[in-house]
Amino acid sequence: MSSFALTIGGKAVTTTRQFDVLNPFDESIAGRCPEATLEHLERAVRSAREALPGWSSTPDAERAAKLMDIGQLIERHQAELSRLITLEQGKPQSGPGANFEVAGAAAWTRATASLNLPEETIQNDDVARIVIRRKPVGVVGSVTPWNWPLLIATWHVMPALRVGCTVVIKPSPFTPLSTLRLVELMNTVLPPGVINVVTGGAEIGASLTDYPGVDKLVFTGSIATGKRVMESASHSLKRVTLELGGNDAGIVLPGTNIAPLLEKLFWGCFINAGQTCAALKRLYVHDSQYAEVVQQFAAYVEEIPVGNGLDPKTLIGPISNRMQLEKAMALVEEARSRGARIVTGGKKPEGRGFVYPLTVIADATDEMRVVKEEQFAPVIPIVRYRTIEEAIRRANSLEVGLGGSVWGDDPEAAASYAGQLECGTAWVNQHGVINPMTPFGGVKCSGIGVEFGVDGLKEYTTVQALNVAR
Ligand code: NAD
């Protein structure tokens, strides 16, 4: 088994205490993770502060070139990183799984390297020259979740580094290993202290978000924790970007030819075993074709191999941890007890590990927890509706608004309905598809701020207006 260390100030740091990271397929030990103390956190923030003047004044083109090198480095370590992700998180090597995650991390890193934030001239005449400059916000504290550990780490870290910030990242204790290795690799390219990593759970996360030497927080995780992060941030008025939970609705318009859409609908719901913030989590289908859509969708779902992510035939891995498995089982049982029909799945196989079958729930209603709450599991409730206006109202009725989708034979007609959804991204005939140039973020309780593209880059900067009298 490989050994893992923290990286602080460019150096590998071992710790007195470690904790086990479990392989969700069979609960074997995927690796031992060093456990950071408050003292490690202090050292990490100090290193990031010390590295800030040098990194923020490094020529822009040089920073971009370093990021390009990191993209290449991630690519060169594709096999190693992707195996680590399967072992600690469960997603398969095949399909849109661990290899897809590593390739995405490399692609996002390069795309971020290619972005620019040039000075903007507001006025330039005989009265004044006014320009707007973007300056790095300072030291960034990043806290990441367990669902896409490497990809989300790159989403946090690369834009921060691109504009000249330095970073302390804390990954989820369920999936810290790929991040520890990523930061170790990045330190072969970057000056010491530019990126540092500490590990642990809620306690060290809370200390990082409260730490006075940190200027900005970027957090991806649950709404409940996001609120705590924002409260901590208020103590020293740190800037925040919060990417929180969602409960995305998908609406199939009446009369839609569903067969050609099944594959995209499947991945929209079940990518990463449903453990994706912007996965489709409630499917609204018109009364007139409800039975047909349920039957065709369930038949498609039943053909997909679920199991050990290291088996190349597997397309969906286990649920990532026991806590999430237990939540999924409780939601399915509540729906069953209230009269929902479990068309396929719904029962965990005997034995160790967190594999749960792909589950399609028919006759689900908005009152059931599996519809009201984010399942974050391979479970999709299908809900009946009678008018499109009613479906949109019900889709918009929750406190969250990350994504949403409308499915239909006429994409422009579907787009006009999609525009009425209260969410950060509205898709047509697809769900969850993202790219590094398009801003991504939530409305309502799904978050504050955006990631990706120039708008995402700006989140790591402060604005300075330079106003020169003539
Ligand atoms: P979580 O909120 O439990 O944990 C996220 C991270 O916060 C972990 O690193 C955890 O150790 C840390 N943490 C816990 N308590 C903390 C505290 N008090 N202060 C600071 N840090 C603390 O979330 P999770 O279970 O890891 O992730 C699942 C959730 O994340 C889902 O709700 C999902 O929708 C959401 N998510 C959102 C996006 C998005 O982009 N919007 C992406 C992925 C996941």
Side-chain angles (χ1 to χ4, degrees):
M1 196 185 299
S2 326
S3 65
F4 297 89
L6 310 176
T7 306
I8 299 175
K11 295 205 171 63
V13 175
T14 52
T15 57
T16 325
R17 293 177 56 156
Q18 285 96 30
F19 59 91
D20 289 338
V21 176
L22 296 187
N23 177 340
F25 174 67
D26 57 6
E27 298 175 71
S28 60
I29 295 173
R32 297 268 297 156
C33 180
E35 185 169 355
T37 60
L38 200 53
E39 196 207 324
H40 293 118
L41 174 64
E42 280 163 8
R43 276 167 62 188
V45 176
R46 205 179 325 121
S47 298
R49 285 230 79 83
E50 283 166 10
L52 186 62
W55 182 246
S56 59
S57 58
T58 298
D60 195 62
E62 209 176 299
R63 285 202 302 261
K66 294 267 188 217
L67 254 62
M68 284 292 182
D69 293 346
I70 293 169
Q72 220 170 43
L73 202 57
I74 294 173
E75 222 162 54
R76 278 213 304 278
H77 290 81
Q78 166 95 28
E80 178 198 355
L81 289 167
S82 130
R83 188 179 159 80
L84 266 183
I85 292 171
T86 297
L87 289 178
E88 68 177 353
Q89 198 276 340
K91 65 170 64 76
Q93 293 281 295
S94 303
N99 275 294
F100 169 87
E101 178 165 359
V102 180
W108 247 271
T109 301
R110 288 212 182 92
T112 308
S114 76
L115 294 171
N116 282 302
L117 281 180
E119 258 183 26
E120 277 175 67
T121 302
I122 303 293
Q123 186 179 334
N124 191 10
D125 53 24
D126 46 10
V127 177
R129 181 171 71 90
I130 305 176
V131 292
I132 303 290
R133 289 169 167 177
R134 295 267 168 185
K135 295 188 161 191
V137 63
V139 172
V140 172
S142 148
V143 178
T144 56
W146 47 260
N147 57 340
W148 292 91
L150 190 83
L151 194 55
I152 293 176
T154 61
W155 293 351
H156 285 191
V157 166
M158 302 310 168
L161 299 184
R162 176 69 192 89
V163 299
C165 297
T166 56
V167 179
V168 177
I169 184 171
K170 191 209 77 69
S172 164
F174 291 116
T175 55
L177 306 179
S178 51
T179 304
L180 288 172
R181 184 65 179 127
L182 173 72
V183 174
E184 186 183 11
L185 290 170
M186 289 174 71
N187 270 273
T188 63
V189 170
L190 295 170
V194 169
I195 169 107
N196 309 274
V197 56
V198 293
T199 49
E203 206 179 321
I204 202 91
S207 303
L208 173 61
T209 58
D210 207 22
Y211 209 84
V214 175
D215 303 295
K216 150 122 198 163
L217 300 171
V218 51
F219 170 80
T220 300
S222 61
I223 294 172
T225 310
K227 288 179 180 172
R228 281 183 214 116
V229 169
M230 193 155 170
E231 198 184 323
S232 280
S234 73
H235 300 156
S236 59
L237 283 185
K238 295 178 181 37
R239 276 56 186 152
V240 291
T241 301
L242 304 176
E243 298 290 353
L244 309 178
N247 191 348
D248 294 8
I251 301 172
V252 179
L253 295 178
T256 299
N257 180 15
I258 202 70
L261 298 174
L262 287 174
E263 185 179 0
K264 285 186 173 173
L265 202 51
F266 173 80
W267 288 111
C269 300
F270 287 105
I271 186 168
N272 195 26
Q275 303 164 115
T276 298
C277 51
L280 202 171
K281 291 169 182 145
R282 309 174 271 155
L283 184 62
Y284 288 84
V285 176
H286 192 254
D287 197 34
S288 60
Q289 62 176 155
Y290 187 83
E292 168 210 342
V293 172
V294 167
Q295 185 271 323
Q296 286 197 40
F297 190 54
Y300 188 94
V301 167
E302 280 167 0
E303 295 301 312
I304 304 296
V306 180
N308 186 354
L310 291 179
D311 178 343
K313 291 195 290 302
T314 298
L315 287 177
I316 300 286
I319 291 180
S320 261
N321 52 67
R322 179 172 299 283
M323 172 196 77
Q324 203 59 39
L325 170 73
E326 284 172 358
K327 175 166 184 201
M329 292 196 299
L331 294 190
V332 172
E333 288 322 310
E334 197 246 12
R336 203 194 305 260
S337 72
R338 284 169 158 252
R341 199 156 41 91
I342 314 299
V343 187
T344 186
K347 191 171 182 325
K348 182 191 174 310
E350 295 294 320
R352 293 176 72 77
F354 313 135
V355 171
Y356 191 80
L358 303 181
T359 300
V360 176
I361 303 183
D363 300 334
T365 64
D366 289 358
E367 292 69 41
M368 293 175 185
R369 284 184 63 200
V370 75
V371 177
K372 280 193 296 199
E373 295 178 28
E374 180 182 41
Q375 319 95 21
F376 225 60
V379 174
I380 183 77
I382 306 186
V383 193
R384 201 184 291 267
Y385 74 86
R386 290 195 168 73
T387 68
I388 302 173
E389 293 68 27
E390 168 213 324
I392 291 171
R393 184 177 44 74
R394 288 161 68 188
N396 289 340
S397 66
L398 301 180
E399 63 164 10
V400 286
L402 192 54
S405 57
V406 178
W407 303 70
D409 292 346
D410 175 353
E412 288 314 314
S416 72
Y417 291 119
Q420 296 175 40
L421 294 173
E422 294 167 3
C423 54
T425 307
W427 286 282
V428 169
N429 292 341
Q430 55 180 351
H431 198 112
V433 177
I434 50 175
N435 87 55
M437 296 301 173
T438 308
F440 174 79
V443 301
K444 301 199 277 188
C445 284
S446 285
I448 293 181
V450 291
E451 298 186 278
F452 314 161
V454 169
D455 291 304
L457 215 52
K458 286 180 178 170
E459 300 253 336
Y460 294 90
T461 65
T462 53
V463 173
Q464 183 180 56
L466 180 70
N467 192 331
V468 182
R470 289 256 167 79

